[in-house]
Amino acid sequence: MLIDSHAHLDSERYADDRAAMLSRAWEAGIGTVLAIGIGEHASGMDGALKLCREFNPQSDPESAQGAKFPHLYASAGVYPHNTPEADATILDQLDGLLAEPEVIACGEIGLDYYHEGAPHHIQRQGLIAQLEIAAARKRPILIHCRGTSESADAWDDLFLVLEDHWRPTGLGGVMHCFGGGWEQARRSLDLGFLISFAGNLTYPKAQPLRDVAARIPLDGILVETDAPWLAPAPDRGKRNEPAWVTRTAHALAGLLAVSDEEIASATTKNFLKLFRLGADVGNC
């Protein structure tokens, strides 16, 4: 079964059919989803954990609502443009969430210079503060990185921070919804990160990204939806959901000249290894 390594399941866009959406994911062969806890505001980063406790089975994979769902894990973190909110109270909240067994990652955190928002120096300060908490809790990190236009400015700043504040931990992480070039991919792999590809891999103008993906070793990849955004072709622009991660996985399999089954096996193995999880993950 596949793992969707990054989905915003707490989005209001699922408010009316969240259970049905998760059931469709199970039926599509998605055994596990990592629900991302950032919220609309930093104080809402516990939303993913709440969904874990609502939808994960206790002793029977049949939920109280009579449907089977993927197993959910959660992350927690302060998104780059919410870092001005990262005061002592918010950072204490993050520390407490990372202590919960369902919360296996800190993220998504990082740098975003593409959109107007938090000043760059505030983003970097917020990132470093969260790296310190994640390191103390021994949680891998989920990185969001996007530069201005076609510039690598955010990537350059990110690697400076990670070299100083993260490489020594050996904890690694995920470059979520990767959109950089081969140099950024190479440096990420060298730092112990997995490269995660989303639905934008399937877009017509994404050939440069596909060229990078074709060079990533099987033990360095993950797949994700970033749902509800980035629906893969041919449904670009629609609300995305975890069931559709199968399309990105199929596209990646073609680029790497392997079968869909090999992609599922490799990405599952990579996920379990990074997050130190047992092979029985999911409602199998």
Side-chain angles (χ1 to χ4, degrees):
M1 302 188 82
L2 275 166
I3 293 177
D4 181 356
S5 67
H6 196 108
H8 297 265
L9 301 182
D10 60 347
S11 169
E12 284 300 312
R13 295 177 70 181
Y14 300 122
D16 295 331
D17 68 339
R18 189 170 284 112
M21 173 269 293
L22 289 171
S23 182
R24 287 193 294 272
W26 174 262
E27 291 168 359
I30 313 306
T32 302
V33 180
L34 177 52
I36 305 305
I38 54 173
E40 287 295 320
H41 299 282
S43 60
M45 64 179 141
D46 59 346
L49 176 59
K50 291 177 180 178
L51 291 178
C52 286
R53 294 178 174 173
E54 178 180 356
F55 288 100
N56 279 347
Q58 298 304 311
S59 59
D60 188 335
E62 290 286 340
S63 76
Q65 293 146 320
K68 286 186 176 181
F69 304 132
H71 188 88
L72 304 184
Y73 286 102
S75 75
V78 181
Y79 188 73
H81 288 310
N82 289 341
T83 49
E85 304 170 34
D87 58 13
T89 299
I90 290 296
L91 294 176
D92 284 346
Q93 180 186 4
L94 174 61
D95 182 58
L97 286 168
L98 293 182
E100 298 292 339
E102 302 98 327
V103 182
I104 62 173
C106 179
E108 62 188 275
I109 61 177
L111 301 175
D112 190 318
Y113 296 175
Y114 183 82
H115 295 104
E116 291 293 331
H120 297 176
H121 73 283
I122 297 295
Q123 293 188 42
R124 292 191 291 270
Q125 290 172 8
L127 172 59
I128 292 168
Q130 293 182 87
L131 294 181
E132 292 172 351
I133 294 170
R137 290 295 181 185
K138 294 182 168 52
R139 293 291 192 260
I141 56 176
L142 312 175
I143 289 290
H144 170 109
C145 187
R146 194 172 184 187
T148 54
S149 299
E150 300 301 317
S151 171
D153 52 359
W155 283 105
D156 292 341
D157 286 353
L158 174 69
F159 286 128
L160 287 173
V161 171
L162 294 180
E163 287 286 353
D164 288 344
H165 298 276
W166 195 248
R167 182 191 284 274
T169 71
L171 291 168
V174 180
M175 291 299 179
H176 138 70
C177 190
F178 185 77
W182 172 246
E183 178 62 17
Q184 289 76 38
R186 183 194 63 76
R187 293 186 68 179
S188 298
L189 293 168
D190 180 62
L191 281 165
F193 282 77
L194 297 174
I195 310 295
S196 185
F197 293 99
N200 56 329
L201 185 72
T202 69
Y203 297 168
K205 294 183 179 180
Q207 190 57 48
L209 182 59
R210 288 190 285 274
D211 291 340
V212 172
R215 300 177 66 179
I216 307 293
L218 271 176
D219 63 0
I221 57 171
L222 291 176
V223 288
E224 64 171 89
T225 54
D226 200 20
W229 303 286
L230 293 178
D235 290 312
R236 182 178 184 180
K238 295 182 181 179
R239 187 194 73 172
N240 200 3
E241 59 181 70
W244 292 357
V245 77
T246 55
R247 303 184 194 176
T248 300
H250 178 72
L252 191 57
L255 292 169
L256 295 172
V258 299
S259 68
D260 289 4
E261 290 76 15
E262 287 174 288
I263 285 293
S265 176
T267 53
T268 295
K269 180 179 179 180
N270 296 340
F271 186 93
L272 299 181
K273 181 179 179 181
L274 174 65
F275 296 111
R276 300 172 177 83
L277 300 171
D280 59 347
V281 63
N283 299 343
C284 302

PDB file of all heavy atoms in Angstrom, residues 179-197:
ATOM      1  N   GLY A 179      10.603  21.348  -5.278  1.00  0.00           N
ATOM      2  CA  GLY A 179      10.501  22.122  -6.501  1.00  0.00           C
ATOM      3  C   GLY A 179      11.819  22.733  -6.929  1.00  0.00           C
ATOM      4  O   GLY A 179      11.841  23.606  -7.790  1.00  0.00           O
ATOM      5  N   GLY A 180      12.912  22.253  -6.333  1.00  0.00           N
ATOM      6  CA  GLY A 180      14.211  22.791  -6.676  1.00  0.00           C
ATOM      7  C   GLY A 180      14.840  22.084  -7.861  1.00  0.00           C
ATOM      8  O   GLY A 180      14.218  21.261  -8.537  1.00  0.00           O
ATOM      9  N   GLY A 181      16.096  22.410  -8.113  1.00  0.00           N
ATOM     10  CA  GLY A 181      16.851  21.774  -9.174  1.00  0.00           C
ATOM     11  C   GLY A 181      17.702  20.646  -8.634  1.00  0.00           C
ATOM     12  O   GLY A 181      17.635  20.289  -7.444  1.00  0.00           O
ATOM     13  N   TRP A 182      18.551  20.075  -9.519  1.00  0.00           N
ATOM     14  CA  TRP A 182      19.369  18.949  -9.100  1.00  0.00           C
ATOM     15  C   TRP A 182      20.336  19.333  -7.987  1.00  0.00           C
ATOM     16  O   TRP A 182      20.575  18.539  -7.065  1.00  0.00           O
ATOM     17  CB  TRP A 182      20.131  18.348 -10.275  1.00  0.00           C
ATOM     18  CG  TRP A 182      21.112  17.314  -9.812  1.00  0.00           C
ATOM     19  CD1 TRP A 182      22.460  17.363  -9.868  1.00  0.00           C
ATOM     20  CD2 TRP A 182      20.781  16.069  -9.164  1.00  0.00           C
ATOM     21  NE1 TRP A 182      23.010  16.242  -9.304  1.00  0.00           N
ATOM     22  CE2 TRP A 182      22.009  15.429  -8.858  1.00  0.00           C
ATOM     23  CE3 TRP A 182      19.581  15.456  -8.811  1.00  0.00           C
ATOM     24  CZ2 TRP A 182      22.061  14.188  -8.228  1.00  0.00           C
ATOM     25  CZ3 TRP A 182      19.629  14.223  -8.165  1.00  0.00           C
ATOM     26  CH2 TRP A 182      20.856  13.598  -7.880  1.00  0.00           C
ATOM     27  N   GLU A 183      20.890  20.540  -8.012  1.00  0.00           N
ATOM     28  CA  GLU A 183      21.837  20.936  -6.971  1.00  0.00           C
ATOM     29  C   GLU A 183      21.169  20.946  -5.601  1.00  0.00           C
ATOM     30  O   GLU A 183      21.746  20.481  -4.604  1.00  0.00           O
ATOM     31  CB  GLU A 183      22.420  22.318  -7.278  1.00  0.00           C
ATOM     32  CG  GLU A 183      23.397  22.846  -6.229  1.00  0.00           C
ATOM     33  CD  GLU A 183      24.645  21.989  -6.050  1.00  0.00           C
ATOM     34  OE1 GLU A 183      24.949  21.157  -6.936  1.00  0.00           O
ATOM     35  OE2 GLU A 183      25.313  22.157  -5.009  1.00  0.00           O
ATOM     36  N   GLN A 184      19.939  21.459  -5.529  1.00  0.00           N
ATOM     37  CA  GLN A 184      19.216  21.460  -4.256  1.00  0.00           C
ATOM     38  C   GLN A 184      18.849  20.036  -3.828  1.00  0.00           C
ATOM     39  O   GLN A 184      18.891  19.699  -2.636  1.00  0.00           O
ATOM     40  CB  GLN A 184      17.955  22.320  -4.357  1.00  0.00           C
ATOM     41  CG  GLN A 184      18.210  23.814  -4.431  1.00  0.00           C
ATOM     42  CD  GLN A 184      18.708  24.265  -5.786  1.00  0.00           C
ATOM     43  OE1 GLN A 184      18.255  23.753  -6.814  1.00  0.00           O
ATOM     44  NE2 GLN A 184      19.626  25.222  -5.813  1.00  0.00           N
ATOM     45  N   ALA A 185      18.502  19.199  -4.789  1.00  0.00           N
ATOM     46  CA  ALA A 185      18.197  17.798  -4.462  1.00  0.00           C
ATOM     47  C   ALA A 185      19.437  17.086  -3.941  1.00  0.00           C
ATOM     48  O   ALA A 185      19.378  16.357  -2.933  1.00  0.00           O
ATOM     49  CB  ALA A 185      17.657  17.086  -5.696  1.00  0.00           C
ATOM     50  N   ARG A 186      20.557  17.302  -4.600  1.00  0.00           N
ATOM     51  CA  ARG A 186      21.800  16.639  -4.195  1.00  0.00           C
ATOM     52  C   ARG A 186      22.189  17.051  -2.777  1.00  0.00           C
ATOM     53  O   ARG A 186      22.562  16.202  -1.949  1.00  0.00           O
ATOM     54  CB  ARG A 186      22.913  16.998  -5.174  1.00  0.00           C
ATOM     55  CG  ARG A 186      24.248  16.308  -4.885  1.00  0.00           C
ATOM     56  CD  ARG A 186      25.378  16.943  -5.658  1.00  0.00           C
ATOM     57  NE  ARG A 186      25.601  18.340  -5.299  1.00  0.00           N
ATOM     58  CZ  ARG A 186      26.214  18.734  -4.179  1.00  0.00           C
ATOM     59  NH1 ARG A 186      26.646  17.835  -3.297  1.00  0.00           N
ATOM     60  NH2 ARG A 186      26.383  20.022  -3.929  1.00  0.00           N
ATOM     61  N   ARG A 187      22.100  18.339  -2.494  1.00  0.00           N
ATOM     62  CA  ARG A 187      22.468  18.817  -1.163  1.00  0.00           C
ATOM     63  C   ARG A 187      21.494  18.301  -0.103  1.00  0.00           C
ATOM     64  O   ARG A 187      21.893  18.004   1.029  1.00  0.00           O
ATOM     65  CB  ARG A 187      22.516  20.344  -1.144  1.00  0.00           C
ATOM     66  CG  ARG A 187      23.625  20.929  -1.994  1.00  0.00           C
ATOM     67  CD  ARG A 187      23.733  22.437  -1.839  1.00  0.00           C
ATOM     68  NE  ARG A 187      24.208  22.817  -0.504  1.00  0.00           N
ATOM     69  CZ  ARG A 187      24.410  24.078  -0.133  1.00  0.00           C
ATOM     70  NH1 ARG A 187      24.174  25.069  -0.979  1.00  0.00           N
ATOM     71  NH2 ARG A 187      24.846  24.354   1.089  1.00  0.00           N
ATOM     72  N   SER A 188      20.227  18.186  -0.466  1.00  0.00           N
ATOM     73  CA  SER A 188      19.231  17.657   0.472  1.00  0.00           C
ATOM     74  C   SER A 188      19.534  16.205   0.815  1.00  0.00           C
ATOM     75  O   SER A 188      19.495  15.800   1.993  1.00  0.00           O
ATOM     76  CB  SER A 188      17.835  17.772  -0.138  1.00  0.00           C
ATOM     77  OG  SER A 188      17.490  19.117  -0.390  1.00  0.00           O
ATOM     78  N   LEU A 189      19.815  15.399  -0.196  1.00  0.00           N
ATOM     79  CA  LEU A 189      20.146  13.998   0.034  1.00  0.00           C
ATOM     80  C   LEU A 189      21.387  13.877   0.909  1.00  0.00           C
ATOM     81  O   LEU A 189      21.456  13.026   1.809  1.00  0.00           O
ATOM     82  CB  LEU A 189      20.359  13.281  -1.298  1.00  0.00           C
ATOM     83  CG  LEU A 189      19.113  13.116  -2.182  1.00  0.00           C
ATOM     84  CD1 LEU A 189      19.516  12.672  -3.587  1.00  0.00           C
ATOM     85  CD2 LEU A 189      18.137  12.111  -1.562  1.00  0.00           C
ATOM     86  N   ASP A 190      22.362  14.736   0.671  1.00  0.00           N
ATOM     87  CA  ASP A 190      23.596  14.717   1.448  1.00  0.00           C
ATOM     88  C   ASP A 190      23.343  15.038   2.919  1.00  0.00           C
ATOM     89  O   ASP A 190      24.048  14.555   3.811  1.00  0.00           O
ATOM     90  CB  ASP A 190      24.596  15.726   0.866  1.00  0.00           C
ATOM     91  CG  ASP A 190      25.904  15.759   1.630  1.00  0.00           C
ATOM     92  OD1 ASP A 190      26.600  14.721   1.664  1.00  0.00           O
ATOM     93  OD2 ASP A 190      26.240  16.817   2.220  1.00  0.00           O
ATOM     94  N   LEU A 191      22.305  15.826   3.189  1.00  0.00           N
ATOM     95  CA  LEU A 191      21.945  16.176   4.563  1.00  0.00           C
ATOM     96  C   LEU A 191      21.061  15.120   5.228  1.00  0.00           C
ATOM     97  O   LEU A 191      20.669  15.286   6.382  1.00  0.00           O
ATOM     98  CB  LEU A 191      21.211  17.523   4.579  1.00  0.00           C
ATOM     99  CG  LEU A 191      22.085  18.777   4.480  1.00  0.00           C
ATOM    100  CD1 LEU A 191      21.227  19.989   4.136  1.00  0.00           C
ATOM    101  CD2 LEU A 191      22.834  19.018   5.787  1.00  0.00           C
ATOM    102  N   GLY A 192      20.758  14.041   4.496  1.00  0.00           N
ATOM    103  CA  GLY A 192      19.934  12.978   5.059  1.00  0.00           C
ATOM    104  C   GLY A 192      18.449  13.165   4.877  1.00  0.00           C
ATOM    105  O   GLY A 192      17.646  12.541   5.587  1.00  0.00           O
ATOM    106  N   PHE A 193      18.046  14.001   3.895  1.00  0.00           N
ATOM    107  CA  PHE A 193      16.636  14.244   3.641  1.00  0.00           C
ATOM    108  C   PHE A 193      16.117  13.336   2.530  1.00  0.00           C
ATOM    109  O   PHE A 193      16.857  12.974   1.608  1.00  0.00           O
ATOM    110  CB  PHE A 193      16.397  15.704   3.240  1.00  0.00           C
ATOM    111  CG  PHE A 193      16.408  16.651   4.396  1.00  0.00           C
ATOM    112  CD1 PHE A 193      17.603  17.054   4.985  1.00  0.00           C
ATOM    113  CD2 PHE A 193      15.217  17.129   4.926  1.00  0.00           C
ATOM    114  CE1 PHE A 193      17.622  17.912   6.055  1.00  0.00           C
ATOM    115  CE2 PHE A 193      15.221  17.994   6.011  1.00  0.00           C
ATOM    116  CZ  PHE A 193      16.433  18.391   6.582  1.00  0.00           C
ATOM    117  N   LEU A 194      14.850  12.999   2.627  1.00  0.00           N
ATOM    118  CA  LEU A 194      14.133  12.371   1.532  1.00  0.00           C
ATOM    119  C   LEU A 194      13.522  13.466   0.672  1.00  0.00           C
ATOM    120  O   LEU A 194      13.167  14.536   1.171  1.00  0.00           O
ATOM    121  CB  LEU A 194      13.036  11.453   2.065  1.00  0.00           C
ATOM    122  CG  LEU A 194      13.506  10.265   2.910  1.00  0.00           C
ATOM    123  CD1 LEU A 194      12.300   9.531   3.496  1.00  0.00           C
ATOM    124  CD2 LEU A 194      14.370   9.310   2.108  1.00  0.00           C
ATOM    125  N   ILE A 195      13.385  13.188  -0.621  1.00  0.00           N
ATOM    126  CA  ILE A 195      12.787  14.136  -1.562  1.00  0.00           C
ATOM    127  C   ILE A 195      11.377  13.668  -1.862  1.00  0.00           C
ATOM    128  O   ILE A 195      11.171  12.565  -2.360  1.00  0.00           O
ATOM    129  CB  ILE A 195      13.591  14.196  -2.881  1.00  0.00           C
ATOM    130  CG1 ILE A 195      15.086  14.402  -2.608  1.00  0.00           C
ATOM    131  CG2 ILE A 195      13.038  15.276  -3.786  1.00  0.00           C
ATOM    132  CD1 ILE A 195      15.440  15.698  -1.970  1.00  0.00           C
ATOM    133  N   SER A 196      10.397  14.514  -1.554  1.00  0.00           N
ATOM    134  CA  SER A 196       8.996  14.135  -1.733  1.00  0.00           C
ATOM    135  C   SER A 196       8.388  14.878  -2.915  1.00  0.00           C
ATOM    136  O   SER A 196       8.507  16.102  -3.020  1.00  0.00           O
ATOM    137  CB  SER A 196       8.198  14.446  -0.461  1.00  0.00           C
ATOM    138  OG  SER A 196       6.871  13.977  -0.588  1.00  0.00           O
ATOM    139  N   PHE A 197       7.735  14.113  -3.779  1.00  0.00           N
ATOM    140  CA  PHE A 197       7.130  14.679  -4.986  1.00  0.00           C
ATOM    141  C   PHE A 197       5.614  14.671  -4.862  1.00  0.00           C
ATOM    142  O   PHE A 197       5.011  13.703  -4.399  1.00  0.00           O
ATOM    143  CB  PHE A 197       7.572  13.893  -6.221  1.00  0.00           C
ATOM    144  CG  PHE A 197       9.036  14.037  -6.512  1.00  0.00           C
ATOM    145  CD1 PHE A 197       9.936  13.045  -6.122  1.00  0.00           C
ATOM    146  CD2 PHE A 197       9.534  15.169  -7.132  1.00  0.00           C
ATOM    147  CE1 PHE A 197      11.291  13.175  -6.361  1.00  0.00           C
ATOM    148  CE2 PHE A 197      10.888  15.317  -7.370  1.00  0.00           C
ATOM    149  CZ  PHE A 197      11.780  14.317  -6.993  1.00  0.00           C
TER     150      PHE A 197
END
